[in-house]
Coordinates of all heavy atoms in Angstrom, one line a residue:
I71 N -68.2 187.7 92.0 CA -68.7 186.4 91.7 C -68.0 186.0 90.4 O -67.5 184.8 90.3 CB -70.2 186.4 91.5 CG1 -70.9 186.6 92.9 CG2 -70.7 185.1 90.8 CD1 -72.4 186.9 92.9
L72 N -67.9 186.8 89.4 CA -67.3 186.4 88.1 C -65.8 186.2 88.3 O -65.3 185.2 87.7 CB -67.5 187.6 87.1 CG -68.9 187.7 86.6 CD1 -69.1 188.9 85.8 CD2 -69.3 186.5 85.7
R73 N -65.1 187.0 89.0 CA -63.7 186.8 89.3 C -63.4 185.5 89.9 O -62.5 184.7 89.6 CB -63.1 187.9 90.1 CG -62.6 189.1 89.3 CD -61.7 190.1 90.1 NE -62.3 190.5 91.4 CZ -63.2 191.6 91.3 NH1 -63.5 192.2 90.3 NH2 -63.7 192.0 92.5
D74 N -64.2 185.2 91.0 CA -64.1 183.9 91.7 C -64.3 182.7 90.7 O -63.6 181.8 90.7 CB -65.1 183.8 92.8 CG -64.8 184.7 93.9 OD1 -63.6 185.3 94.0 OD2 -65.7 185.0 94.8
A75 N -65.3 182.8 89.8 CA -65.6 181.7 88.9 C -64.4 181.6 87.9 O -64.1 180.4 87.6 CB -66.9 182.0 88.2
V76 N -63.9 182.6 87.4 CA -62.7 182.6 86.5 C -61.6 182.0 87.2 O -60.8 181.1 86.7 CB -62.5 184.0 85.9 CG1 -61.1 183.9 85.1 CG2 -63.6 184.4 84.9
N77 N -61.3 182.4 88.4 CA -60.2 181.9 89.2 C -60.3 180.4 89.5 O -59.3 179.8 89.8 CB -59.9 182.7 90.5 CG -59.4 184.1 90.2 OD1 -58.7 184.3 89.2 ND2 -59.7 185.1 91.0
E78 N -61.5 179.9 89.5 CA -61.7 178.5 89.8 C -61.3 177.6 88.6 O -61.1 176.4 88.8 CB -63.1 178.2 90.2 CG -63.4 178.7 91.6 CD -64.9 178.5 92.0 OE1 -65.6 177.9 91.3 OE2 -65.3 179.0 93.0
L79 N -61.2 178.2 87.4 CA -60.9 177.4 86.2 C -59.4 176.9 86.4 O -58.6 177.5 87.0 CB -61.0 178.2 85.0 CG -62.4 178.7 84.6 CD1 -62.3 179.7 83.5 CD2 -63.3 177.5 84.3
E80 N -59.1 175.8 85.7 CA -57.7 175.3 85.7 C -56.8 176.4 85.0 O -57.3 177.1 84.1 CB -57.7 174.0 84.9 CG -58.4 172.9 85.6 CD -58.5 171.6 84.8 OE1 -57.7 171.5 83.8 OE2 -59.3 170.7 85.1
S81 N -55.6 176.4 85.4 CA -54.7 177.5 84.9 C -54.6 177.5 83.4 O -54.6 178.7 82.8 CB -53.4 177.4 85.5 OG -52.7 176.2 85.2
D82 N -54.5 176.4 82.7 CA -54.3 176.5 81.3 C -55.6 176.9 80.6 O -55.5 177.7 79.6 CB -53.8 175.1 80.7 CG -54.8 174.0 81.1 OD1 -55.5 174.1 82.1 OD2 -54.8 173.0 80.3
V83 N -56.7 176.6 81.1 CA -58.0 177.0 80.6 C -58.2 178.4 80.8 O -58.7 179.2 80.0 CB -59.2 176.1 81.1 CG1 -60.5 176.6 80.7 CG2 -59.0 174.7 80.8
R84 N -57.9 178.9 82.1 CA -58.1 180.3 82.5 C -57.2 181.1 81.6 O -57.7 182.2 81.1 CB -57.7 180.4 84.0 CG -57.8 181.8 84.5 CD -57.6 182.0 86.0 NE -56.4 181.4 86.3 CZ -56.2 180.4 87.2 NH1 -57.3 179.8 87.7 NH2 -55.0 179.9 87.5
E85 N -56.0 180.7 81.3 CA -55.1 181.5 80.4 C -55.7 181.7 79.1 O -55.6 182.8 78.5 CB -53.8 180.8 80.3 CG -52.7 181.6 79.5 CD -51.4 181.0 79.5 OE1 -51.2 179.8 80.0 OE2 -50.4 181.6 78.9
V86 N -56.3 180.7 78.5 CA -57.1 180.8 77.2 C -58.1 181.8 77.3 O -58.3 182.7 76.4 CB -57.6 179.4 76.7 CG1 -58.5 179.6 75.5 CG2 -56.5 178.5 76.4
V87 N -58.9 181.7 78.3 CA -60.0 182.7 78.5 C -59.5 184.1 78.6 O -60.1 185.0 78.0 CB -60.9 182.3 79.7 CG1 -61.9 183.4 80.1 CG2 -61.6 181.0 79.5
V88 N -58.5 184.3 79.4 CA -58.0 185.7 79.6 C -57.4 186.2 78.3 O -57.6 187.4 78.0 CB -56.9 185.7 80.7 CG1 -56.1 186.9 80.8 CG2 -57.6 185.4 82.1
L89 N -56.6 185.4 77.6 CA -56.0 185.8 76.4 C -57.1 186.1 75.3 O -57.0 187.1 74.5 CB -55.0 184.8 75.8 CG -53.8 184.6 76.6 CD1 -52.9 183.5 76.0 CD2 -52.9 185.9 76.6
K90 N -58.2 185.4 75.3 CA -59.2 185.6 74.3 C -60.1 186.8 74.7 O -60.3 187.7 73.8 CB -60.2 184.3 74.3 CG -61.3 184.4 73.3 CD -60.8 184.5 71.9 CE -62.1 184.4 70.9 NZ -61.7 184.9 69.7
I91 N -60.5 186.9 75.9 CA -61.4 188.0 76.3 C -60.7 189.3 76.6 O -61.0 190.4 76.0 CB -62.2 187.6 77.6 CG1 -63.1 186.5 77.2 CG2 -62.9 188.9 78.2 CD1 -63.8 185.9 78.5
F92 N -59.6 189.3 77.3 CA -58.9 190.6 77.7 C -57.9 191.0 76.6 O -57.8 192.2 76.3 CB -58.1 190.4 79.0 CG -59.1 190.3 80.2 CD1 -59.1 189.2 81.0 CD2 -59.9 191.4 80.5 CE1 -60.0 189.1 82.0 CE2 -60.7 191.3 81.6 CZ -60.8 190.2 82.3
A93 N -57.1 190.1 76.1 CA -56.1 190.4 75.1 C -56.8 190.5 73.7 O -56.1 191.1 72.8 CB -54.9 189.5 75.1
G94 N -57.9 189.9 73.5 CA -58.6 190.0 72.2 C -57.8 189.2 71.2 O -58.0 189.4 70.0
L95 N -57.1 188.2 71.6 CA -56.3 187.3 70.6 C -57.3 186.3 69.9 O -58.2 185.9 70.5 CB -55.2 186.6 71.3 CG -54.1 187.5 72.0 CD1 -53.1 186.6 72.6 CD2 -53.5 188.4 70.9
T96 N -56.9 185.9 68.7 CA -57.6 184.8 68.1 C -57.2 183.5 68.6 O -56.1 183.4 69.3 CB -57.4 184.9 66.5 OG1 -56.0 184.7 66.3 CG2 -57.7 186.3 66.0
F97 N -57.9 182.5 68.2 CA -57.5 181.1 68.7 C -56.1 180.7 68.1 O -55.3 180.1 68.7 CB -58.5 180.1 68.3 CG -59.8 180.2 69.0 CD1 -61.0 180.2 68.4 CD2 -59.9 180.4 70.4 CE1 -62.2 180.3 69.1 CE2 -61.0 180.6 71.1 CZ -62.2 180.5 70.4
D98 N -55.9 181.2 66.9 CA -54.6 180.9 66.2 C -53.5 181.6 66.9 O -52.4 181.0 67.2 CB -54.6 181.4 64.7 CG -55.4 180.5 63.8 OD1 -55.6 179.3 64.2 OD2 -56.0 181.1 62.8
A99 N -53.7 182.9 67.3 CA -52.6 183.6 68.1 C -52.4 183.0 69.5 O -51.2 182.9 69.9 CB -53.0 185.1 68.2
I100 N -53.5 182.6 70.1 CA -53.3 182.0 71.4 C -52.6 180.7 71.3 O -51.8 180.4 72.1 CB -54.7 181.8 72.1 CG1 -55.3 183.1 72.3 CG2 -54.6 181.0 73.4 CD1 -56.8 183.1 72.8
G101 N -52.9 179.9 70.2 CA -52.2 178.7 69.9 C -50.7 178.9 69.8 O -49.9 178.1 70.3
D102 N -50.4 180.0 69.1 CA -49.0 180.3 68.9 C -48.3 180.6 70.2 O -47.2 180.2 70.5 CB -48.8 181.5 67.9 CG -49.2 181.1 66.5 OD1 -49.2 179.9 66.2 OD2 -49.3 182.0 65.7
V103 N -49.0 181.4 71.0 CA -48.4 181.8 72.4 C -48.2 180.6 73.3 O -47.2 180.4 73.9 CB -49.3 182.8 73.0 CG1 -49.0 183.1 74.5 CG2 -49.3 184.2 72.2
M104 N -49.2 179.7 73.3 CA -49.3 178.6 74.2 C -48.7 177.3 73.5 O -48.6 176.3 74.2 CB -50.7 178.3 74.7 CG -51.3 179.4 75.5 SD -53.0 179.1 76.1 CE -52.6 177.8 77.3
E105 N -48.3 177.4 72.3 CA -47.7 176.3 71.6 C -48.6 175.1 71.5 O -48.3 174.0 71.9 CB -46.3 175.9 72.2 CG -45.3 177.0 72.1 CD -44.0 176.7 72.7 OE1 -43.9 175.6 73.3 OE2 -43.1 177.5 72.5
L106 N -49.9 175.4 71.2 CA -51.0 174.4 71.0 C -51.6 174.6 69.7 O -51.7 175.7 69.2 CB -52.0 174.6 72.2 CG -51.6 174.4 73.6 CD1 -52.6 174.9 74.5 CD2 -51.3 172.9 73.8
P107 N -52.3 173.6 69.2 CA -53.1 173.7 68.0 C -54.3 174.7 68.3 O -54.8 174.6 69.4 CB -53.5 172.3 67.6 CG -52.7 171.4 68.4 CD -52.2 172.2 69.6
S108 N -54.7 175.4 67.2 CA -55.8 176.4 67.5 C -57.2 175.6 67.8 O -57.9 176.2 68.6 CB -56.0 177.3 66.3 OG -56.3 176.5 65.1
K109 N -57.3 174.5 67.3 CA -58.5 173.7 67.6 C -58.5 173.3 69.1 O -59.6 173.2 69.7 CB -58.6 172.4 66.8 CG -59.0 172.9 65.3 CD -59.3 171.6 64.5 CE -59.7 172.1 63.1 NZ -60.4 171.1 62.3
T110 N -57.4 173.0 69.6 CA -57.2 172.7 71.1 C -57.6 173.9 71.9 O -58.3 173.8 72.9 CB -55.8 172.2 71.5 OG1 -55.5 171.0 70.7 CG2 -55.7 171.9 72.9
V111 N -57.1 175.1 71.5 CA -57.4 176.3 72.2 C -58.9 176.6 72.1 O -59.5 176.9 73.2 CB -56.6 177.5 71.5 CG1 -57.0 178.8 72.1 CG2 -55.1 177.3 71.7
A112 N -59.5 176.4 70.9 CA -60.9 176.6 70.8 C -61.8 175.8 71.7 O -62.8 176.1 72.3 CB -61.3 176.5 69.3
T113 N -61.3 174.4 71.8 CA -62.0 173.5 72.6 C -61.9 173.9 74.1 O -62.9 173.9 74.8 CB -61.4 172.1 72.4 OG1 -61.6 171.7 71.0 CG2 -62.1 171.0 73.3
R114 N -60.7 174.3 74.5 CA -60.6 174.7 75.9 C -61.4 175.9 76.2 O -62.0 176.0 77.3 CB -59.1 175.0 76.2 CG -58.2 173.8 76.3 CD -56.8 174.1 76.6 NE -56.0 172.9 76.6 CZ -54.7 172.9 76.9 NH1 -54.0 174.0 77.2 NH2 -54.1 171.8 76.9
Y115 N -61.5 176.9 75.3 CA -62.3 178.1 75.5 C -63.7 177.7 75.6 O -64.5 178.2 76.5 CB -62.0 179.0 74.3 CG -62.8 180.3 74.4 CD1 -62.4 181.3 75.3 CD2 -63.9 180.5 73.7 CE1 -63.1 182.5 75.4 CE2 -64.7 181.7 73.8 CZ -64.3 182.7 74.6 OH -65.0 183.8 74.7
R116 N -64.2 176.9 74.7 CA -65.6 176.5 74.7 C -66.0 175.8 76.0 O -67.0 176.0 76.7 CB -66.0 175.6 73.6 CG -67.5 175.3 73.4 CD -67.8 174.3 72.3 NE -67.4 172.9 72.9 CZ -66.6 172.1 72.2 NH1 -66.2 172.3 71.0 NH2 -66.2 171.0 72.7
R117 N -65.1 174.9 76.5 CA -65.3 174.2 77.7 C -65.3 175.2 78.9 O -66.2 175.0 79.8 CB -64.3 173.1 77.9 CG -64.5 171.9 77.0 CD -63.5 170.8 77.3 NE -63.7 169.7 76.4 CZ -62.8 168.8 76.1 NH1 -61.6 168.8 76.7 NH2 -63.0 167.8 75.2
A118 N -64.4 176.1 78.9 CA -64.4 177.1 80.0 C -65.6 177.9 80.0 O -66.2 178.2 81.1 CB -63.2 178.0 79.8
I119 N -66.1 178.3 78.9 CA -67.3 179.1 78.8 C -68.5 178.3 79.3 O -69.3 178.8 80.1 CB -67.6 179.7 77.4 CG1 -66.5 180.6 77.0 CG2 -69.0 180.4 77.3 CD1 -66.3 181.8 77.9
L120 N -68.6 177.1 79.0 CA -69.7 176.2 79.5 C -69.6 176.0 81.0 O -70.6 176.1 81.7 CB -69.6 174.8 78.8 CG -70.0 174.8 77.3 CD1 -69.7 173.5 76.7 CD2 -71.4 175.3 77.1
K121 N -68.3 175.9 81.5 CA -68.2 175.7 83.0 C -68.6 177.0 83.7 O -69.2 177.0 84.7 CB -66.7 175.4 83.3 CG -66.3 174.0 83.1 CD -64.9 173.7 83.5 CE -64.5 172.3 83.2 NZ -63.1 172.0 83.6

Side-chain angles (χ1 to χ4, degrees):
I71 290 168
L72 287 168
R73 273 194 303 277
D74 291 345
V76 170
N77 286 331
E78 288 176 8
L79 295 172
E80 296 174 17
S81 63
D82 57 334
V83 175
R84 183 175 51 244
E85 186 174 4
V86 169
V87 170
V88 169
L89 290 173
K90 179 71 174 156
I91 293 174
F92 290 116
L95 298 178
T96 64
F97 293 134
D98 289 331
I100 296 170
D102 291 342
V103 169
M104 296 181 71
E105 299 178 354
L106 294 169
S108 61
K109 289 188 179 198
T110 300
V111 172
T113 299
R114 287 182 183 182
Y115 180 76
R116 188 185 74 230
R117 287 182 183 162
I119 296 302
L120 290 173
K121 283 182 183 181

